[in-house]
Amino acid sequence: MKIKYDDCANSELFELAIKRIGKKGYWHVIGELQGRGSRDVFQKAVLWCKSTVRQERELGASILGQLGLQKDHFRKHSIKILMCLLDDSDVDVIASAAYALGHRRAADAVQKLVSLSHHPKVEVRQSIVSGLLT
């Protein structure tokens, strides 16, 4: 059963996303934030992408990957931030950024993604393939 988040403030959804990492319902929360496509969600996701907390960077990348996608909101700025995350020290952050760049169909990211195709971690290589195919 899908939970309705209509009555939840953006701040509540961000808190819920952190609590649900790796658990059932995680992507529903992320999808709700992405679907809202608001400047408030964008700004919080950008802030998280710059966080010292790995989980926040990972979540920020996931949100930016499809934030306001139907109207292509914040596309250029999102791509720029996501490309920077490809240099992150954490495998999960890199993978989230690569998947997100694929959703954004970021032609500017192709060269950087290809350069990571020999990354030692399989999770990163898989995300690179997805990022290039999407």
Side-chain angles (χ1 to χ4, degrees):
M1 181 172 129
K2 188 175 177 181
I3 298 171
K4 293 193 177 201
Y5 298 108
D6 297 344
D7 296 331
C8 292
N10 291 341
S11 59
E12 293 174 290
L13 290 173
F14 275 99
E15 288 177 30
L16 191 55
I18 284 288
K19 291 177 185 174
R20 290 216 173 152
I21 290 176
K23 297 178 185 169
K24 186 176 180 178
Y26 168 76
W27 285 107
H28 292 294
V29 177
I30 298 300
E32 177 66 28
L33 286 164
Q34 291 169 333
R36 290 184 179 191
S38 68
R39 180 159 299 280
D40 178 54
V41 173
F42 171 72
Q43 289 173 334
K44 179 70 172 189
V46 169
L47 193 63
W48 272 11
C49 286
K50 298 175 181 179
S51 173
T52 59
V53 179
R54 177 198 60 83
Q55 292 91 339
E56 290 180 356
R57 294 193 310 277
E58 181 182 348
L59 285 167
S62 294
I63 292 166
L64 290 182
Q66 295 188 66
L67 178 67
L69 195 59
Q70 292 176 340
K71 295 182 180 179
D72 218 13
H73 287 165
F74 315 108
R75 183 178 187 276
K76 289 180 183 178
H77 198 68
S78 294
I79 289 170
K80 182 179 176 182
I81 292 166
L82 292 166
M83 286 182 61
C84 289
L85 289 176
L86 292 176
D87 294 322
D88 200 272
S89 60
D90 186 86
V91 171
D92 293 328
V93 174
I94 297 168
S96 287
Y99 284 121
L101 286 163
H103 289 299
R104 286 292 184 177
R105 299 182 188 272
D108 295 349
V110 170
Q111 185 175 353
K112 180 70 176 177
L113 289 168
V114 169
S115 75
L116 290 169
S117 64
H118 298 290
H119 195 279
K121 297 291 186 179
V122 69
E123 299 90 350
V124 171
R125 293 193 308 270
Q126 288 172 336
S127 69
I128 298 303
V129 170
S130 178
L132 291 168
L133 290 176
T134 306

